[in-house]
Amino acid sequence: MRQKRIDIALQGGGSHGAFTWGVLDRLLQLDDIEIAGISGTSAGAMNAVALAQGLTQAGPEGARDLLRQYWTRVSKASRASPYKRTWWDKMWGGWSLENSPGFIISQFTRQLASPYQFNPLNINPLRDLVEDCFDFEAINSADGPRIFLSATNVRTGRPKVFRQPDLSVDSVVASACLPHMYKAVEIDGEAYWDGGYMGNPPLFPLIDESEARDLVIVQINPFEREKIPTTPYEIENRLNEITFNASLMKELRTVGFLWQTIEGEKLDRAAYRDGRLHRIHASEAMTGLSVSSKMNAEMAFLEHLFAIGHEAADEWVRTAWPDVGKVSTWQPKEILEESIQPAHLDTRNDRRSKK
């Protein structure tokens, strides 16, 4: 059976990354898939290293097992967290932590003190989890997929992409370092925060450095919401989504500019790194979840997200997988229509001149 070679880009989003776990679990059941490159940010970085290590050590089934092990351990570690759903939320089936006393106190506290004051010992349960779960010798092996993890350089404000053979506990934790919760992670004299601010997830390392020409984006954070936020919390929630989608939208516009130039100038597609774009998402289901639920790591919630991801991937496999390797199955027109186009190829100028 001829293998379809793909790259996969994994968004971050706290516990919502369990949606990606479900997506990956379904994709790993395909007999004709080869994952050449993986990029990830924050929770996407965790999924990326689990996927790569599992594939390197024990193939698709090993990757599925390691992903489940990781998310199960995330849930067990969360039992000590002060962020708990109230009995009211549990009774009504809500996953939000907005009514959690621990969550409310943390939102107030972060306005008064930083992690450098309230967490001087820099206690980070995620670091312990990464150290216990992952084997970086296997992750950095040349035998597995290429991996690209993004973080944000605190001093310069620029994105940093960590690659093999230099991936480590520090680079993975840096990709998921929320500045209101933990001190910046220092690597080689530089300080890093969560990669979601500047690359969620990074696309161009895959386009530039991988031989695969099909790029699959697993999107957690919805681009659009119909309802206008009116309360302080709703506004913060929407700002969080916009911020963590901004870098993705920028890269998609740049990719659109590149592909429009290749098409318009009839350039050698292989020489100019042309490719095909695909997306797996469940925007309707994810839109119904508040930003506070990204801190909810109850196993029941993670399994709920896993099921949503598995179902979304199953639908994508049914409808889009036959076309992978042939054509793009996702055309983000609402994004590309607003992108800069080469002036001599800009059909909008022609439309305006006819008015």
Side-chain angles (χ1 to χ4, degrees), residues 105-271:
I105 291 170
S106 73
Q107 296 300 294
F108 177 73
T109 302
R110 77 180 197 177
Q111 304 300 321
L112 304 176
S114 80
Y116 293 84
Q117 285 86 53
F118 70 73
N119 187 11
L121 299 179
N122 201 28
I123 297 171
N124 188 343
L126 184 61
R127 176 178 289 277
D128 297 334
L129 191 60
V130 170
E131 287 178 342
D132 291 343
C133 279
F134 301 129
D135 177 354
F136 283 90
E137 183 176 348
I139 291 166
N140 283 308
S141 169
D143 297 332
R146 301 288 304 278
I147 310 174
F148 307 94
L149 309 181
S150 72
T152 302
N153 187 305
V154 178
R155 184 177 60 83
T156 67
R158 292 195 291 268
K160 168 68 177 180
V161 176
F162 295 101
R163 299 167 168 80
Q164 297 138 314
D166 301 319
L167 296 179
S168 65
V169 172
D170 282 339
S171 56
V172 175
V173 174
S175 184
C177 180
L178 295 172
H180 293 299
M181 295 183 66
Y182 306 111
K183 295 180 181 180
V185 178
E186 294 192 8
I187 302 174
D188 297 331
E190 292 288 356
Y192 296 99
W193 280 336
D194 193 293
Y197 299 104
M198 296 303 294
N200 190 26
L203 304 184
F204 269 91
L206 295 173
I207 294 171
D208 290 341
E209 302 179 40
S210 172
E211 294 303 317
R213 297 273 57 88
D214 285 86
L215 173 56
V216 180
I217 298 171
V218 180
Q219 184 182 354
I220 291 176
N221 302 300
F223 285 133
E224 299 179 358
R225 280 185 182 270
E226 291 298 323
K227 182 183 177 183
I228 301 299
T230 56
T231 68
Y233 191 77
E234 288 174 343
I235 291 170
E236 182 180 357
N237 184 6
R238 186 58 183 146
L239 282 173
N240 177 279
E241 289 177 341
I242 291 171
T243 299
F244 277 73
N245 272 330
S247 58
L248 175 59
M249 294 177 73
K250 182 179 179 180
E251 286 203 78
L252 286 171
R253 288 187 179 114
T254 305
V255 169
F257 178 90
L258 171 64
W259 290 347
Q260 286 165 0
T261 302
I262 292 172
E263 181 68 26
E265 296 288 1
K266 307 301 181 185
L267 299 175
D268 180 349
R269 289 177 177 270

